[in-house]
Amino acid sequence: MEILQLLIEEEEGINNINAIPKIIPIIGMGGVGKTTLAQQVYHDASYFDVKAWACVSNDFDVATITKRILQVIPGLSREGNDLDQPQEKLWKHLSGKRFLIVLDDVWTEKYEEWTNLLKTFQAGAEGSVIVLTARNLRVASMAGARAYPLKELPEDACLTLLAYHALRAENFDHHTPLKSFGEKIVMKCKGLPLAVKMLGGLLRTDVDSHQWEAISNSRIWDLAKEEKRDPSLFDTQLSPSPPSSEEMFCLLCDLSQGLRNRKG
């Protein structure tokens, strides 16, 4: 709701200079739910003339990003792969229209690359918005926009999420022997909903307390503390560094294999 409100609020400052659309950066750790939040906003924001989504990642190529946007716009999707001048085509289509563009997983901190991409979006009407997701506050700074920091989920919310995905229940009231293990698992997930969801999927409909205990006490959780990590994977400058999504994914893969071995 806060993001939806930001979409329609008028904002003074750098974002109104030269008709550059409003930019809303959602910043947070990998696996904390940035993309999920952006998807919900994208789905619920129905008052734009044009909406488009592009996954950017670490390959910030203006032509490629522009073609990805064109490919998801109705009426232009069939032309996207054959365009010689994608920015010109997108400029003409956005001209005078209020649009919402989501740029998911932006890594670049190079101002020149960013401004080259923005040139196309200056054709839009007042009220146009670009929502971007990123892990690093420096991306928001580069974009000249105030960051919306997405914090980790509190443990009680994570516990509810785990109960839903593992047990298809709202809580552990009917599975009290598993609750203590669930609390321990949630604590080690460091507030990352993606990790909780994946573990819930691994434990789905499994009410064997031995499996829950094995995951909650697994030695694998300590690996993130013992092994060297690439700081760029989790440097958001927002909070202490829990395991990155890549590390958490590897941990979950190991835990999943362990479960299969135990069941086999």
Side-chain angles (χ1 to χ4, degrees):
M1 293 304 297
E2 291 177 8
I3 297 294
L4 288 174
Q5 185 62 32
L6 289 176
L7 295 183
I8 61 176
E9 284 181 350
E10 294 185 3
E11 184 174 7
E12 298 180 356
I14 191 170
N15 287 335
N16 287 332
I17 298 175
N18 297 327
I20 295 176
K22 178 188 291 186
I23 301 168
I24 302 175
I26 302 174
I27 309 295
M29 294 289 301
V32 79
K34 302 181 298 297
T35 298
T36 301
L37 175 59
Q39 288 172 338
Q40 191 66 45
V41 170
Y42 185 83
H43 178 268
D44 290 345
S46 58
Y47 38 82
F48 290 92
D49 302 316
V50 179
K51 294 198 300 182
W53 180 292
C55 183
V56 178
S57 193
N58 57 356
D59 182 20
F60 196 94
D61 180 78
V62 173
T64 300
I65 296 170
T66 305
K67 287 182 179 180
R68 288 173 183 168
I69 293 172
L70 289 168
Q71 288 167 0
V72 299
I73 295 178
L76 299 179
S77 57
R78 294 182 179 180
E79 305 177 26
N81 288 325
D82 301 324
L83 292 175
D84 293 327
Q85 296 178 313
Q87 285 184 282
E88 181 179 346
K89 183 72 174 180
L90 185 58
W91 173 283
K92 291 179 180 179
H93 187 74
L94 296 180
S95 182
K97 298 177 181 177
R98 185 169 62 170
F99 62 77
L100 170 63
I101 304 293
V102 176
L103 301 176
D104 187 35
D105 196 25
V106 177
W107 285 72
T108 187
E109 299 173 21
K110 297 179 180 179
Y111 183 70
E112 183 177 358
E113 291 181 343
W114 177 250
T115 53
N116 285 339
L117 179 65
L118 280 186
K119 292 176 182 178
T120 303
F121 300 118
Q122 293 177 359
E126 183 178 354
S128 295
V129 180
I130 295 176
V131 173
L132 65 87
T133 71
R135 301 185 185 189
N136 201 310
L137 279 172
R138 290 191 292 270
V139 175
S141 178
M142 171 206 64
R146 183 177 59 189
Y148 183 90
L150 191 58
K151 298 180 180 180
E152 294 79 8
L153 285 182
E155 288 189 5
D156 58 342
C158 286
L159 192 62
T160 300
L161 190 64
L162 181 64
Y164 173 78
H165 286 287
L167 304 169
R168 284 299 180 187
E170 295 181 358
N171 50 52
F172 284 82
D173 288 354
H174 297 292
H175 303 276
T176 51
L178 303 178
K179 185 174 182 179
S180 61
F181 301 125
E183 290 173 339
K184 196 170 182 179
I185 291 171
V186 160
M187 180 183 66
K188 294 182 177 182
C189 284
K190 305 294 185 183
L192 300 181
L194 177 60
V196 176
K197 181 179 178 180
M198 291 181 69
L199 282 173
L202 291 176
L203 290 166
R204 187 168 181 177
T205 68
D206 192 339
V207 294
D208 181 357
S209 61
H210 295 294
Q211 301 289 7
W212 287 69
E213 183 179 14
I215 287 186
S216 65
N217 294 326
S218 175
R219 176 77 168 74
I220 205 76
W221 295 104
D222 298 325
L223 293 182
K225 297 179 181 179
E226 297 175 358
E227 296 181 356
K228 294 182 179 179
R229 294 175 289 174
D230 179 359
S232 66
L233 295 178
F234 52 80
D235 179 17
T236 64
Q237 303 175 13
L238 293 174
S239 61
S241 53
S244 69
S245 57
E246 286 84 358
E247 292 168 326
M248 188 63 72
F249 179 76
C250 291
L251 297 180
L252 296 179
C253 286
D254 288 340
L255 286 171
S256 176
Q257 186 60 46
L259 276 177
R260 294 191 187 97
N261 291 339
R262 289 173 63 90
K263 291 180 178 179

